[in-house]
Amino acid sequence: MSQTVRPSPASRKPAGGKGTTSAGRGNPSARDGRTPTPKKPASRPEPAAEEAPVGFGDALDWLWKFFISRRTGLVLILVLGLMSLAGTLLEQAPGELRNDPQAYAGWLDSVKPKYGGWTWLLDKAGLFGTFSSWWFKGTLVLLTTSIVACSLHRIPQIMRRTGHPKAQPPDAFFDRSGLRAVIPVGPDPEEALALAAKTLRGKHFRAVVHEGGAAGRVSGTALYADRFRWAPYGSIAAHLGFVVVLLGAFLSASTGFKDTQFVAPVGYKVEVGHGTGLQLQALAFNDAYYDNGAPKDYASDLVLYDHGKQVARQTVRVNQPLSYGGVSFYQSFFGTAAGIKVTDAQQNVVSDTAVPLQWQSDDGKHSIGQLVMAAQKTQVYVVLPASGQVDPNIQAGQVQLEVYANGSSTPTATQVISQGKPTTIAGLTYTFQRERQFTGLIVARDPGVWLVWAGSAFLVTGIFLVFFFPYRRLWVLARRGPEGETTLHLAAQLKRDTAFEPQFRELVADLERAAATSTDTAPTSPRK
């Protein structure tokens, strides 16, 4: 009977027939005749878990973290600062011109000599109306939201730190803190802490002895002290004050207005506009001068009407404005106006007003005013020699009219007309009645001014608290030595408050004197 001989593991070949044996390269266990441990088959990878959809709560959490981030606040402040710098360095178009495309185009032409080819780009970027642009207001809203979020985030932290302070930090804190000292005292730790508490309270610190043990009894080993614990709320007041100031400015920019070029010719009613329903009439204007020619006083006798009913009359001066219904009128400038009456071919009155000559020609020799007749699609520039100037083409009692069709840069007609003599130009009859004075006013409605004042008060108060009443904290630990002696370890943080170090040294000196009085132990010098 023959015996079947099985080949040794080293003589077996791989299932493929060709190739190296298991005793080949890279298999040391096969070289020494041992059977290699078969590898476990690779496990099938688990299917990836599906990501949970982002919910509303996750979005709110992300927004909260975004707004309370210091980086967010710093970036918004930087962006707002750059916008404010641009708005300060660049000329800003008057608010009353932005709603009048034709007048705004004329203003752009007036600043082209200053900005050259950049005028078009600056206009498209909205930099001539920086403070009323949507992106400036949007940045203000984001910054306000960030400040409010940061304040709400900090209030609970301040309440915990000031209302429930950590009375006993780790022992290592007393060996590594920025300010520290060691004072030998009597043998009883509780008496040593009582001595420290009495000394600190004498310096207007609040002293809280650490309570430990299951029964909540005083352990007599640690003490916490602080001063001006309400001062950290000053930063909250300052931040909220800044927010209130921003809200006031935003309210004024959104619902208020400021017209710095309001002109009221003497003897004529002028619409205030801006949805106020007010009319203003200047009855008289008087200017007075000192002997050296310097202006002494400007005064305008004004009557104010609300929807046709007289509601106020006052003599307005530079520092004595007329105020009604939240709208204020401030004396600003004055000048000459030309009374011009315009009629059509049927003798219908097209315009009967005094045209303020409030602009100067480039050479300063002429005063210029503008009369706009929208229904006739016509603009008329009224020209007179400036004060102290002489033009042989425009005699006393005459004015020069330059008539333009809307959108045209070339005058339809240019003609000098005499006072009291009707003259027909391009189908309309013009009559120069007389020269008059006009008073120039600043008209403003600022509904957010009270918020600005209130916010400024909060801001100043908060800054005052932060800088003049710094929040200071101090920890005291009583340690009993191996021979029964007790030492007081004092420690305080020194973060951005270098002025606390002299006061800390003074406290240490007071404790040393108190300890020397109560015991015969010589105090050691504090070390930092």
Side-chain angles (χ1 to χ4, degrees):
M1 179 180 227
S2 64
Q3 185 177 2
T4 304
V5 181
R6 297 182 178 179
S8 66
S11 64
R12 296 177 182 172
K13 293 184 178 180
K18 296 181 180 180
T20 60
T21 64
S22 59
R25 300 175 184 176
N27 197 342
S29 60
R31 294 192 191 102
D32 58 10
R34 291 179 295 171
T35 304
T37 304
K39 295 182 179 180
K40 295 181 179 180
S43 59
R44 181 176 297 176
E46 295 290 338
E50 294 184 2
E51 294 184 1
V54 178
F56 182 70
D58 297 326
L60 288 180
D61 184 63
W62 183 87
L63 283 175
W64 175 255
K65 292 179 180 179
F66 172 78
F67 282 115
I68 66 174
S69 171
R70 290 185 178 180
R71 181 177 301 177
T72 299
L74 291 175
V75 169
L76 290 174
I77 290 174
L78 176 62
V79 171
L80 192 66
L82 292 175
M83 292 179 182
S84 301
L85 179 62
T88 302
L89 296 179
L90 298 173
E91 286 193 41
Q92 300 295 291
E96 61 272 13
L97 297 183
R98 297 193 190 106
N99 297 325
D100 186 345
Q102 190 169 358
Y104 183 70
W107 183 87
L108 285 179
D109 290 336
S110 69
V111 299
K112 275 185 180 179
K114 183 175 183 179
Y115 300 108
W118 291 96
T119 305
W120 178 85
L121 182 61
L122 294 174
D123 175 44
K124 293 302 179 183
L127 294 178
F128 291 132
T130 299
F131 301 110
S132 60
S133 62
W134 65 266
W135 37 269
F136 184 84
K137 294 178 181 179
T139 305
L140 277 180
V141 171
L142 290 176
L143 180 58
T144 301
T145 305
S146 177
I147 294 174
V148 171
C150 287
S151 300
L152 294 177
H153 180 67
R154 289 192 60 204
I155 288 176
Q157 298 177 354
I158 294 176
M159 293 178 65
R160 287 194 299 269
R161 187 173 61 180
T162 58
H164 305 281
K166 186 177 181 180
Q168 187 171 9
D171 289 353
F173 174 75
F174 293 92
D175 300 324
R176 301 175 183 175
S177 61
L179 293 174
R180 60 185 185 273
V182 179
I183 304 174
V185 290
D188 189 347
E190 293 187 4
E191 292 182 0
L193 279 185
L195 178 66
K198 180 179 178 181
T199 303
L200 289 167
R201 288 172 183 146
K203 295 293 183 179
H204 308 291
F205 277 79
R206 176 185 64 158
V208 180
V209 177
H210 171 62
E211 295 184 359
R217 296 185 301 173
V218 176
S219 64
T221 58
L223 176 70
Y224 167 81
D226 61 14
R227 190 180 184 191
F228 303 133
R229 63 181 180 273
W230 35 264
Y233 292 98
S235 63
I236 302 298
H239 283 81
L240 294 181
F242 184 65
V243 169
V244 174
V245 170
L246 291 180
L247 290 176
F250 184 79
L251 179 63
S252 295
S254 300
T255 62
F257 66 88
K258 186 175 184 180
D259 186 350
T260 60
Q261 299 295 320
F262 185 84
V263 173
V266 173
Y268 290 86
K269 284 186 179 181
V270 182
E271 295 286 343
V272 175
H274 302 283
T276 60
L278 300 177
Q279 288 179 310
L280 186 72
Q281 183 179 16
L283 299 181
F285 174 81
N286 296 295
D287 51 326
Y289 300 87
Y290 292 102
D291 294 337
N292 61 0
K296 181 179 181 180
D297 185 32
Y298 301 151
S300 298
D301 186 6
L302 303 180
V303 178
L304 187 65
Y305 299 88
D306 187 353
H307 294 90
K309 181 181 178 181
Q310 180 177 332
V311 292
R313 179 175 178 177
Q314 180 179 326
T315 299
V316 174
R317 291 180 167 85
V318 174
N319 296 317
Q320 297 176 2
L322 166 63
S323 297
Y324 172 79
V327 181
S328 298
F329 300 83
Y330 302 86
Q331 182 65 56
S332 181
F333 57 98
F334 67 96
T336 302
I340 303 292
K341 182 178 180 180
V342 185
T343 58
D344 59 16
Q346 289 74 34
Q347 300 301 313
N348 297 317
V349 176
V350 175
S351 175
D352 186 3
T353 185
V355 180
L357 307 178
Q358 58 191 114
W359 299 308
Q360 293 286 322
S361 59
D362 293 338
D363 57 9
K365 294 182 178 181
H366 294 88
S367 297
I368 304 172
Q370 183 185 40
L371 173 61
V372 178
M373 294 176 286
Q376 287 70 31
K377 299 181 179 180
T378 301
Q379 298 180 64
V380 179
Y381 288 95
V382 183
V383 183
L384 274 176
S387 177
Q389 299 293 326
V390 176
D391 186 341
N393 297 320
I394 307 175
Q395 302 295 325
Q398 293 181 330
V399 294
Q400 178 177 293
L401 303 181
E402 297 180 3
V403 182
Y404 291 80
N406 283 356
S408 174
S409 59
T410 303
T412 303
T414 299
Q415 188 168 339
V416 175
I417 64 175
S418 299
Q419 182 175 342
K421 295 182 179 181
T423 305
T424 301
I425 305 173
L428 296 176
T429 301
Y430 298 84
T431 303
F432 172 39
Q433 297 172 323
R434 55 170 293 187
E435 290 188 23
R436 294 180 177 270
Q437 281 186 310
F438 73 80
T439 179
L441 306 168
I442 297 176
V443 184
R445 179 171 61 194
D446 194 358
V449 64
W450 65 274
L451 285 176
V452 173
W453 281 109
S456 299
F458 273 102
L459 184 62
V460 171
T461 302
I463 293 175
F464 184 79
L465 292 177
V466 170
F467 284 99
F468 291 93
F469 297 93
Y471 178 47
R472 287 167 176 168
R473 299 188 293 170
L474 180 69
W475 287 266
V476 182
L477 178 66
R479 287 177 176 171
R480 187 187 294 274
E483 298 181 1
E485 74 281 5
T486 298
T487 55
L488 283 178
H489 296 255
L490 282 72
Q493 294 176 337
L494 189 62
K495 292 183 178 180
R496 301 182 296 275
D497 188 13
T498 56
F500 183 36
E501 184 172 358
Q503 187 179 13
F504 180 82
R505 299 303 171 193
E506 183 180 349
L507 286 173
V508 171
D510 290 343
L511 280 171
E512 287 178 339
R513 285 192 292 268
T517 302
S518 60
T519 64
D520 295 330
T521 304
T524 61
S525 299
R527 54 188 174 85
K528 182 178 177 182

